[in-house]
């Protein structure tokens, strides 16, 4: 992948190229970005530029032996690590390497949900396990086959548990000519011991103009439509592509119906919903709760009179307007967000989903139907 294929991020591309020109490439770097900003493609383009045999002042050549192998992600000195779903047949990341390469060749802008869809994830939770850490150490202990620099790109190091401490030695004192690039979205979830050993490269969100130009170039959208979609995407190219493809999102209908159940005190329906939610798997449950939190935050903007800042698609906006006009107030929205944030916290820590979603459902009834709200410091969190 070449820098010219990456959407936006022009100043950052220049910075990365300059580090190579001036021989200031840190051996362990953390590319930190919001989702859909292009951190993974940037990391790959950076590695390709470093190992290009005929690089220019602006990009890798794209034609040398190294570049051709990088373009297909088959260079023997380019290694990837990423969250996967362990099973009897999948012990380490290499066991799903073909699926990973296929994903990158199809579109290097993707998130964990899209990656899950490529694998038989079922209800398993993604992680980077101790076996994968040992495999990384083993691969990097070998001499480089062709390139001057061996590169390991780890996507989403947030999924390293304490087992990630096994990598500390090799990150701090790597073999000669070895480059680690960690591509992360949440700095707080990365092991502090790893974080302290890396140089952080902050990657900003894409601008609305970058996304708008991309949508116009890649589709038949009018300028007005592209402007609306880029505004809704908020710097996330993955979200912009989902809007472009009109990808249906069941979270919106599920969450609106869940709120209606709470307002109608429909306990039998809520119990049925609890069974449905429990079958989704933890990642999908977390995404559903995150959607609900974001939706309610948009509702709070409507209630505060900041309509111009609301970034909801038209159909979802209609639902939000009805809720904020006839049902919700700011105190209720705040209480609901608190409940969903707690639920997300507990799902991440392997809470029983049936018990959890039933409890939150009953809290919805309490807040929406009976307007029983927490009062200051007297409220005791579960």
């Amino acid at each position: 992948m070449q820098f010219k294929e990456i959407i936006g991020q022009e100043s950052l591309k220049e910075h990365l190229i300059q580090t190579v020109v001036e021989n200031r490439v840190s051996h362990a770097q953390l590319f930190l970005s919001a989702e859909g900003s292009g951190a993974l493609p940037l990391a790959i383009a950076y590695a390709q530029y470093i190992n290009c045999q005929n690089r220019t002042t602006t990009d890798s050549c794209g034609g040398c032996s190294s570049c051709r192998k990088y373009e297909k992600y088959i260079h023997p000195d380019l290694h990837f690590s990423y969250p996967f779903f362990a099973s009897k047949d999948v012990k380490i990341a290499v066991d799903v390497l073909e699926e990973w390469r296929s994903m990158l060749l199809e579109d290097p802008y993707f998130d964990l949900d899209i990656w899950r869809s490529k694998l038989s994830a079922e209800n398993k939770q993604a992680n980077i396990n101790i076996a994968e850490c040992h495999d990384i150490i083993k691969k990097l202990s070998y001499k480089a086959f062709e390139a001057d620099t061996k590169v390991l790109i780890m996507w989403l190091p947030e999924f390293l548990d304490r087992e990630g401490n096994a990598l500390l030695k090799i990150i701090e004192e790597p073999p000669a000519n070895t480059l680690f690039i960690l591509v992360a979205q949440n700095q707080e979830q990365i092991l502090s011991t790893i974080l302290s050993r890396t140089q952080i490269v902050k990657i900003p969100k894409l601008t609305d103009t970058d996304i708008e130009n991309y949508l116009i170039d890649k589709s038949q959208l009018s300028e007005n439509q592209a402007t609306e979609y880029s505004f809704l995407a908020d710097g996330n190219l993955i979200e912009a592509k989902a809007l472009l493809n009109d990808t249906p999102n069941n979270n919106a209908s599920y969450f609106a119906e869940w709120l209606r159940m709470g307002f109608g005190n429909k306990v039998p329906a809520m119990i049925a919903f609890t069974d449905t939610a429990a079958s989704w798997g933890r990642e999908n449950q977390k995404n559903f709760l995150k959607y609900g939190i974001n939706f309610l935050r948009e509702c709070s903007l409507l209630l505060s009179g900041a309509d111009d800042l609301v970034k909801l698609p038209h159909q979802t906006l209609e639902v939000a307007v009805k809720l904020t006009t006839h049902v919700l107030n700011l105190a209720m929205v705040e209480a609901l967000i608190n409940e969903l944030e707690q639920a997300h916290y507990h799902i991440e820590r392997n809470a029983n989903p049936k018990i959890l979603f039933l409890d939150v459902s009953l809290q919805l009834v309490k807040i929406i139907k009976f307007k029983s709200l927490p009062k200051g410091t007297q409220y005791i969190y579960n």
Side-chain angles (χ1 to χ4, degrees), residues 247-259:
T247 302
N249 189 337
N250 288 333
N251 285 339
S253 57
Y254 272 127
F255 189 73
E257 185 59 29
W258 198 26
L259 292 179

Side-chain angles (χ1 to χ4, degrees), residues 300-320:
S300 70
L301 290 175
L302 287 172
L303 288 165
S304 302
D307 298 28
D308 293 343
L309 299 179
V310 176
K311 299 180 178 180
L312 289 173
H314 179 69
Q315 188 173 354
T316 310
L317 179 60
E318 289 182 352
V319 175

Side-chain angles (χ1 to χ4, degrees), residues 2 49 95 109 111 124 129 168 173 176 198 202 256 269 305 339-340 350:
Q2 294 178 279
Y49 185 77
D95 294 334
Y109 290 83
D111 58 17
K124 303 185 189 77
N129 59 19
L168 297 183
E173 298 178 11
T198 60
K202 292 189 176 179
E339 291 295 335
L340 296 184
N350 298 321

Side-chain angles (χ1 to χ4, degrees), residues 138-156:
K138 177 182 175 182
K139 287 186 291 194
L140 296 183
S141 65
Y142 298 143
K143 289 184 177 180
F145 287 91
E146 298 177 10
D148 292 331
T149 304
K150 289 177 294 182
V151 180
L152 175 86
I153 298 175
M154 178 179 285
W155 182 58
L156 300 184

Side-chain angles (χ1 to χ4, degrees), residues 188-229:
E188 294 178 356
Q189 292 181 5
I190 302 172
L191 290 171
S192 59
T193 48
I194 288 180
L195 195 61
S196 64
R197 289 165 169 79
T198 60
Q199 181 184 80
I200 297 178
V201 178
K202 292 189 176 179
I203 299 171
K205 286 183 178 181
L206 293 172
T207 66
D208 286 352
T209 302
D210 288 332
I211 292 182
E212 185 178 335
N213 290 338
Y214 171 84
L215 293 173
I216 292 172
D217 291 343
K218 298 295 182 180
S219 68
Q220 303 300 315
L221 285 184
S222 66
E223 188 173 336
N224 287 339
Q225 285 178 310
T227 300
E228 181 182 349
Y229 281 12

